[in-house]
């Protein structure tokens, strides 16, 4: 996700029409930095775990709110 957003930030729409491997030299540095970070930084796993947990909490919250809205709409229809 980080790599994808960095790539889009750097190249935007121009990446869609670029020649194959046109950005390799420039973007390979970013990839190497990310590889180094996730290989050597002990906090990287914790960050990814927390992102996953946060995503699950947000999904649960969204589903709960959707159920409440659905039940409210059903009760209004039944009146």
């Amino acid at each position: 996700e980080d790599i994808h957003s960095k790539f889009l930030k750097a190249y935007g729409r121009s990446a869609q029409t670029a020649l194959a491997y046109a950005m390799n030299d420039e973007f390979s540095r970013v990839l190497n930095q990310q590889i180094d970070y996730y290989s050597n930084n002990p906090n990287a796993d914790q960050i990814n775990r927390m992102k996953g947990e946060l995503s699950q909490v947000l999904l649960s919250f969204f589903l709960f709110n959707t159920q409440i809205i659905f039940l409210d709409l059903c009760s209004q229809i039944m009146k």
Side-chain angles (χ1 to χ4, degrees):
E1 195 171 301
D2 292 337
I3 294 170
H4 182 255
S5 62
K6 286 181 182 183
F7 185 84
L8 289 178
K9 185 178 178 183
Y11 301 109
R13 293 180 187 250
S14 65
Q16 295 175 354
T17 57
L19 297 174
Y21 307 109
M23 288 112 176
N24 270 10
D25 290 338
E26 200 172 312
F27 201 69
S28 64
R29 285 178 243 133
V30 174
L31 291 175
N32 284 331
Q33 288 172 349
Q34 291 296 108
I35 289 169
D36 184 53
Y37 173 76
Y38 286 106
S39 296
N40 299 318
N41 190 331
N43 294 322
D45 287 335
Q46 291 176 337
I47 291 170
N48 286 331
R49 183 178 47 79
M50 291 301 291
K51 282 182 180 179
E53 289 176 10
L54 182 59
S55 293
Q56 287 298 323
V57 168
L58 291 174
L59 178 62
S60 296
F61 184 73
F62 172 76
L63 292 175
F64 179 75
N65 284 339
T66 303
Q67 289 173 341
I68 289 174
I69 291 169
F70 178 73
L71 292 174
D72 187 47
L73 288 173
C74 287
S75 68
Q76 290 179 9
I77 290 172
M78 298 302 281
K79 288 182 182 179

